């Protein structure tokens, strides 16, 4: 197990040389194929020189940004935990079949440092400034992370974007303005943003998401428990209502839209205190007493087919649409 | 919780009224009898025993919890009808005295959230069991307190113009707007539980935002 701290701040000389070689060789081959020998030779020599010169500029220009490039691999057991604290930046996490975690970090400047450490079966990643002079927006790092499928993730990324693909372990994502994009996820998924949007594509397990002004798109869902609350945001749910599942969608304003298929089976409760409820489902009225809230606002209660799942939609002054799936 | 059990000479309210003595170990025979016969009161007493027992172990250096924690606690207690307008509900006179003393008696540990969560749970249980949740129209003293906390948080924030900082302010304005809308709605329809729920959730959101802003205002480097 690799427990050494990592700071790969300098790409090796051989890597730069290799890069320059790759830039130079194709150019020279092309010239040799297309031109006369002497002219081609002169052009080749000139272009090679230009290529090396360009490499020189590239090295000089890119060195400050590359100086903090971080790449590290950690051997892990099953169900590793990966934590990330990053103030700003694009975070991409993907699952792979290796029993290791790979972290590639690209800090925005040499004033920003990324610590990656392993403790047991946990890998902790943290971005921090190296001086007090770093402006807030310069405190940024982008990440490419590969994890085993059963990894548990704890991600805190204020701004930028978070994308997680095919990770089946539990997940906790917190952002301020960063959007969160999950696909093919499972487990217990907890997402909290302030203004960031949220998209969940083909997610299973349990989903809990809250925001103040973020829009939610829950697509091709296979989750048995969804609780989504945003204040000033739209919520779209287009997925399967699993028998005995629970789906609770709530906002203050905006549109809550739920798509259903003829074969779905759910108990529906939809209330907008100051807004509208539009419904395309043929509901069987409930036999029991109406919910307490029903005398206020626009409410709709009933069962679709045998009512096996429970769907609760509520809005303060937004619009609720229960529409047939195309 | 039954108002009075048949076998015991002491009712639930009386039992709760002497809960402080109970927790201090002064357990009147009637109270013991009642505790044996009333599962709810027994459970409440056990919860507070647990809290009192666990709290010292949680104490690390007795730091003062942030004002935002107390705002949250206050919001929660107000939401549950335990307190109103900055004062404890007086319909059950035991509540303020022993709860205040308990809060004072319990050290304020670094892990304040742990026992606050426990207190929330107990407060919720008590308020439900004793019917303290009332449909009375709230006045909005909490809103003013949150505004005050917001001003403090804003002044303590660093001058940073980061995206996150801008987003926090932008969303705070959104929540303020919803608070105003919900307060109007509650004024118009005091019996509308849903509107009150929306209002309290908006308060909670504002408290969370202020908490985040305050944390960012603290030196982080």
């Amino acid at each position: 197990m690799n427990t050494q701290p990592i700071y790969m701040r300098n790409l090796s000389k051989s890597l730069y040389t290799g890069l320059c070689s790759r830039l130079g060789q194709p150019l020279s081959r092309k010239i040799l194929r297309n031109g006369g020998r002497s002219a081609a030779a002169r052009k080749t020599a000139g272009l090679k020189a230009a290529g090396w010169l360009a490499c020189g500029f590239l090295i000089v220009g890119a060195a400050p940004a590359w100086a903090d490039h971080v790449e590290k691999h950690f051997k892990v057991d099953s169900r590793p935990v990966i934590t990330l604290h990053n103030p700003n930046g694009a975070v991409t996490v993907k699952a792979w079949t290796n029993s290791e975690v790979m972290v590639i970090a690209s800090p925005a400047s040499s004033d920003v440092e990324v610590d990656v450490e392993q403790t047991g079966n946990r890998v902790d990643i943290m971005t921090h400034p190296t001086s007090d002079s770093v402006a807030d927006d310069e405190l940024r790092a982008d990440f490419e992370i590969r994890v085993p499928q059963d990894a548990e993730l704890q991600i805190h990324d204020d701004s930028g974007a978070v994308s997680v693909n095919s990770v089946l372990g539990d997940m906790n994502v917190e952002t301020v303005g960063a959007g969160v994009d999950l696909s093919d996820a499972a487990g217990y998924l907890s997402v909290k943003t302030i203004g960031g949007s949220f998209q969940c594509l083909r997610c299973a397990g349990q989903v809990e998401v809250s925001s103040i002004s973020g829009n939610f798109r829950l697509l091709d869902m296979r989750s048995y428990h969804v609780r989504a609350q945003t204040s000033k945001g739209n919520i779209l749910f287009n997925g399967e209502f699993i028998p005995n599942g629970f789906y609770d969608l709530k906002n203050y304003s905006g549109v809550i839209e739920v798509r259903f298929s003829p074969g779905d089976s759910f108990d529906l409760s939809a209330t907008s205190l100051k807004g509208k409820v539009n419904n395309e489902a043929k509901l069987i009225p409930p036999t029991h007493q109406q919910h307490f809230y029903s005398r206020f606002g626009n409410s709709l209660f009933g069962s679709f087919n045998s009512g096996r799942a429970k769907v609760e939609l509520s809005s303060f002054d937004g619009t609720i649409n229960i529409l047939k799936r195309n | 919780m039954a108002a009075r059990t048949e076998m015991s000479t002491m009712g639930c309210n009386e039992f709760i009224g002497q809960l402080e003595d109970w927790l201090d170990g002064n357990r009147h025979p009637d109270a013991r009898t009642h505790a044996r016969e009333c599962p709810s009161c027994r459970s409440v007493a056990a919860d507070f025993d647990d809290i009192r027992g666990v709290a010292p172990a949680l104490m690390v250096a007795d730091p003062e919890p942030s004002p935002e924690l107390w705002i949250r606690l206050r919001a929660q207690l107000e939401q549950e009808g335990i307190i109103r307008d900055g004062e404890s509900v007086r319909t059950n006179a035991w509540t303020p005295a022993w709860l205040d003393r308990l809060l004072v008696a319990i050290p304020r540990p670094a892990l304040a959230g742990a026992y606050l969560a426990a207190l929330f749970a107990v407060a919720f249980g008590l308020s439900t069991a004793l019917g303290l949740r009332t449909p009375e129209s709230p006045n909005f003293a909490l809103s003013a307190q949150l505004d005050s906390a917001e001003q403090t948080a804003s002044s303590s924030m660093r001058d940073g113009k980061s995206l996150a900082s801008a987003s926090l302010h932008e969303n705070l304005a959104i929540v303020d707007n919803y608070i105003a809308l919900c307060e109007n709605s509650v004024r118009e329809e005091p019996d509308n539980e849903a509107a009150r729920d929306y209002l309290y959730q908006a308060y909670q959101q504002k408290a969370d935002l202020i908490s985040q802003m305050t944390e960012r205002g603290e030196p982080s480097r």
Side-chain angles (χ1 to χ4, degrees):
Chain A
M1 194 175 292
N2 192 341
T3 58
Q4 292 179 346
I6 54 96
Y7 294 96
M8 273 189 55
R9 296 189 182 150
N10 296 297
L11 285 179
S12 66
K13 185 179 177 182
S14 61
L15 185 56
Y16 283 117
T17 307
L19 175 64
C20 292
S21 300
R22 284 195 293 276
L23 279 171
Q25 283 173 358
L27 283 173
S28 60
R29 286 189 190 124
K30 189 175 179 182
I31 296 301
L32 280 170
R33 279 199 302 272
N34 296 340
R37 188 176 179 184
S38 59
R42 281 197 300 275
K43 284 182 181 175
T44 301
L47 282 168
K48 272 188 175 177
W52 282 103
L53 193 60
C55 283
F57 285 127
L58 184 64
I59 292 166
V60 170
W66 286 20
D68 291 320
H69 178 89
V70 174
E71 176 172 345
K72 191 67 181 176
H73 296 247
F74 300 92
K75 291 287 181 191
V76 291
D77 299 327
S78 64
R79 302 179 66 84
V81 177
I82 293 89
T83 72
L84 168 65
H85 280 79
N86 186 45
N88 186 358
V91 178
T92 303
V93 184
K94 290 180 183 173
W96 64 3
T97 55
N98 300 359
S99 294
E100 68 175 25
V101 173
M102 180 188 75
V103 180
I104 300 175
S106 303
S109 76
S110 56
D111 290 334
V112 179
E113 205 169 63
V114 174
D115 289 343
V116 188
E117 290 183 358
Q118 181 173 27
T119 307
N121 206 31
R122 194 180 79 233
V123 177
D124 299 310
I125 309 160
M126 178 170 281
T127 305
H128 61 87
T130 56
S131 74
D132 289 338
S133 61
V134 182
D136 285 338
D137 281 342
E138 290 171 1
L139 187 50
R140 173 191 173 97
D142 295 336
F143 289 89
E144 281 281 340
I145 301 171
R146 297 289 179 274
V147 301
Q149 264 198 332
D150 61 354
E152 178 184 326
L153 305 178
Q154 297 172 15
I155 298 172
H156 191 128
D157 188 37
D158 284 349
S159 306
V162 177
S163 170
V164 181
N165 182 255
S166 301
V167 178
L168 306 181
D170 293 348
M171 222 174 285
N172 183 295
V173 183
E174 290 189 14
T175 79
V176 175
V180 179
D181 191 347
L182 309 183
S183 56
D184 300 300
Y188 177 72
L189 312 176
S190 171
V191 176
K192 188 173 181 182
T193 81
I194 302 295
S197 62
F198 173 66
Q199 175 164 299
C200 213
L201 180 63
R202 296 182 299 274
C203 292
Q206 183 170 341
V207 179
E208 302 229 353
V209 53
S210 68
S211 178
I212 291 176
S213 59
N215 294 319
F216 299 161
R217 289 169 59 83
L218 311 168
L219 306 173
D220 296 332
M221 298 288 286
R222 295 189 299 268
S223 173
Y224 62 89
H225 180 113
V226 175
R227 188 184 291 273
Q229 178 173 344
T230 178
S231 296
K232 187 185 177 184
N234 302 326
I235 303 175
L236 168 62
F237 181 95
N238 189 348
E240 195 177 335
F241 294 106
I242 294 175
N244 300 317
F246 179 61
Y247 306 87
D248 180 15
L249 314 179
K250 185 173 188 177
N251 69 6
Y252 277 73
S253 59
V255 176
I256 297 176
E257 184 169 311
V258 169
R259 297 272 176 173
F260 67 93
S261 294
D264 285 338
S265 172
F266 54 83
D267 243 358
L268 176 71
S269 160
T271 301
S272 181
L273 285 181
K274 308 284 182 185
K276 291 181 180 177
V277 178
N278 303 311
N279 174 43
E280 291 182 352
K282 286 187 178 177
L283 299 176
I284 303 165
T287 53
H288 55 277
Q289 191 179 1
Q290 294 291 327
H291 195 275
F292 181 76
Y293 297 167
S294 60
R295 66 193 174 101
F296 297 103
N298 297 304
S299 295
L300 189 63
F301 304 93
S303 299
F304 188 70
N305 291 327
S306 55
R308 299 187 67 184
K310 190 169 179 61
V311 179
E312 292 189 356
L313 313 174
S314 46
S315 180
F316 183 76
D317 62 6
T319 301
I320 297 175
N321 295 325
I322 301 117
L323 306 175
K324 290 177 182 171
R325 189 176 296 138
N326 294 324
Chain B
M1 191 181 300
R4 194 175 189 90
T5 57
E6 290 183 7
M7 301 297 291
S8 167
T9 57
M10 179 178 280
C12 292
N13 286 345
E14 291 170 81
F15 179 82
I16 296 297
Q18 59 77 60
L19 188 55
E20 187 181 3
D21 288 340
W22 175 278
L23 294 172
D24 288 338
N26 303 324
R27 300 180 178 183
H28 191 275
D30 284 350
R32 289 177 187 275
T33 306
H34 181 78
R36 272 198 303 274
E37 294 169 355
C38 178
S40 297
C41 286
R42 191 165 61 243
S43 172
V44 168
D47 284 342
F48 277 99
D49 260 342
D50 289 345
I51 292 170
R52 179 168 279 194
V54 167
L58 294 176
M59 186 173 70
V60 177
D62 196 20
E64 186 74 18
S66 70
E68 287 66 40
L69 276 178
W70 298 112
I71 288 172
R72 289 186 196 179
L73 173 61
R74 184 183 197 83
Q76 184 70 21
L77 292 175
E78 192 158 302
Q79 180 177 353
E80 303 306 338
I82 300 290
I83 60 172
R84 190 176 66 237
D85 191 19
E87 295 295 332
S88 300
V89 173
R90 297 292 172 180
T91 50
N92 288 62
W94 57 269
T95 311
W98 70 261
L99 185 57
D100 285 351
R101 278 197 286 275
L102 187 66
L103 285 170
V104 170
I106 294 174
R108 297 174 176 179
L111 299 174
Y115 77 75
L116 280 178
L119 280 175
F120 287 161
V122 173
F124 180 84
L126 284 173
S127 63
T128 303
L130 299 176
L132 292 178
R133 303 180 80 175
T134 62
E136 296 168 28
S137 174
N139 59 36
F140 303 112
L142 183 61
S143 186
Q145 290 181 10
L146 284 168
D147 287 343
S148 172
E150 177 187 344
Q151 287 177 359
T152 307
S154 295
S155 62
S156 70
M157 279 190 82
R158 286 181 287 129
D159 292 334
K161 306 250 186 278
S162 69
L163 292 171
S165 172
S167 181
L168 285 170
H169 280 100
E170 185 182 322
N171 283 281
L172 190 56
I174 290 170
V175 172
D176 279 340
N177 181 46
Y178 286 125
I179 286 175
L181 289 173
C182 292
E183 283 178 350
N184 282 338
S185 186
V186 171
R187 280 194 193 97
E188 291 167 5
E189 298 173 322
D191 292 337
N192 190 337
E193 283 279 344
R196 291 162 64 92
D197 282 348
Y198 276 105
L199 174 60
Y200 287 126
Q201 283 177 23
Y203 283 156
Q204 185 65 52
Q205 284 181 332
K206 182 164 181 172
D208 287 343
L209 279 173
I210 292 170
S211 179
Q212 285 204 36
M213 292 168 73
T214 305
E215 285 170 15
R216 285 159 192 279
E218 293 169 358
S220 58
R221 301 172 192 176

